[in-house]
Every structure is written in C-alpha cells, then in structure tokens.
Amino acid sequence: MYLNVTQKSRDLFRDYPVGRSGAAAQEARANPIFSWHATAITVQRQRFVLVSHDASALCVVLNAADCAQPRLADLFWQQLAEQWPQYGLAPADLTTYQQAAGDWQINQPLDHQRVRRLNEQGLYVDFLWQQAITSPLEMALLVAQTPPLGRQQPVHQVATVARDLAPARFRWHP
C-alpha cells in the first residue's frame, strides 16, 4: 500500500520503507484503491495525522500522542476497522483489503489537489477539536463528510464508499 506523505509529517513515517520514487508514484496512480495521502497537523499542542484515501471519501484521523505504544500502521488499521462497518462494509472485506494492500511504502504526494484537500480536512479537525470533539474516530467520520471548500465538487462522497471499496476492486494493476 502506498502512503503519499507530505514533508511536514515525514518524521512520523521514518520507520517505514520508502518506495522507489518514479516507479512508486506510477504504481500509486495506477492503483488508487491502495493509495492514501497523509499529513500531520498540530491543534492546540496536539499532533494529529490525517490519512485520506485516494479512491474513496474515507479519512483516518490519528492522534500522534497515541502512537507511542502501537506503531502508526497498527493504529491506522485499528481505526479503519472501527470505521469500516459505519459505511456498511463487511469486516471480512477489510481483512481482504489489508492482505491485498500489503505493507506501507512511503511515497511523495502525487498531486497538489490532494494535499490541498488534506489541508482543508486539517482545518476541519481543528474546528472539531475546538468544539470539544476529541475522539479521533468521531473526527474521521465527520471529516469524511465535509465537501471541499470553494467551487470544487467532491471527487468522492461518503454515500459511495461501499461501492468505491467493493472487494472486486482489491487487485493491483500494472
């Protein structure tokens, strides 16, 4: 699985293997179902990691302070498992997805629109924190529902997550 990480969050992902830059970017574009973009934000001295799926509206929000004991990848999969049934997806499909996706490979961000969307989602996490919503799972579910700012149309919507993540799509393309 490709994790396209912004520069400001590279320190959190230093323990994971880095993909070959040219080939990794090309494979991530060809396989958006296995590609995610990630960034780190700081909200009132709390550091959060936002991980946004390239092929659906899914968003995972992790509190970086919680990453001391489990590894970041373990925390990611744990929260994704908590979100999965919220979208009407079967737990067995998550297992299939995780097996097909494989281990994380760190990559550069693929395009500026995805980074801009991550920044917008970061603003929303900041807003939610100020509204006393501190559960990363609750934040992630709410952030996934937010449309892009401005006149942009959302590329992916929460209503289509079950279709976007159909098990038939869990295969790698060359």
Side-chain angles (χ1 to χ4, degrees):
M1 179 167 76
Y2 290 103
L3 209 59
N4 308 299
V5 178
T6 62
Q7 187 65 36
K8 62 184 172 184
S9 58
R10 287 281 169 148
D11 63 319
L12 293 169
F13 297 95
R14 67 180 170 270
D15 295 337
Y16 297 98
V18 176
R20 302 173 317 275
S21 60
Q26 193 172 18
E27 284 184 32
R29 282 190 181 93
N31 297 286
I33 194 86
F34 301 115
S35 180
W36 297 71
H37 275 72
T39 193
I41 63 165
T42 302
V43 177
Q44 295 180 359
R45 297 188 188 138
Q46 292 285 323
R47 193 163 186 206
F48 290 95
V49 176
L50 276 74
V51 187
S52 183
H53 194 229
D54 289 359
S56 75
L58 278 178
C59 180
V60 175
V61 179
L62 306 171
N63 190 335
D66 294 341
C67 297
Q69 185 172 350
R71 290 182 40 142
L72 196 58
D74 297 336
L75 197 60
F76 168 83
W77 289 111
Q78 178 185 352
Q79 191 190 109
L80 193 57
E82 292 174 15
Q83 280 189 39
W84 204 258
Q86 300 283 334
Y87 298 107
L89 298 165
D93 293 346
L94 177 62
T95 304
T96 304
Y97 178 78
Q98 189 173 1
Q99 290 171 348
D103 294 332
W104 280 0
Q105 289 187 40
I106 305 305
N107 196 18
Q108 298 284 334
L110 298 179
D111 62 44
H112 295 290
Q113 286 186 333
R114 296 204 199 291
V115 174
R116 183 172 57 210
R117 178 68 178 141
L118 277 172
N119 291 334
E120 291 173 2
Q121 290 173 329
L123 292 172
Y124 196 54
V125 167
D126 188 350
F127 171 76
L128 292 172
W129 185 267
Q130 291 175 23
Q131 303 304 312
I133 297 173
T134 58
S135 163
L137 176 61
E138 191 175 354
M139 284 183 190
L141 293 170
L142 291 169
V143 167
Q145 296 175 26
T146 60
L149 297 174
R151 296 183 196 168
Q152 305 172 49
Q153 293 297 316
V155 177
H156 304 289
Q157 298 176 346
V158 170
T160 63
V161 167
R163 186 182 65 214
D164 295 338
L165 293 171
R169 299 185 69 203
F170 298 165
R171 55 181 174 269
W172 287 90
H173 300 285

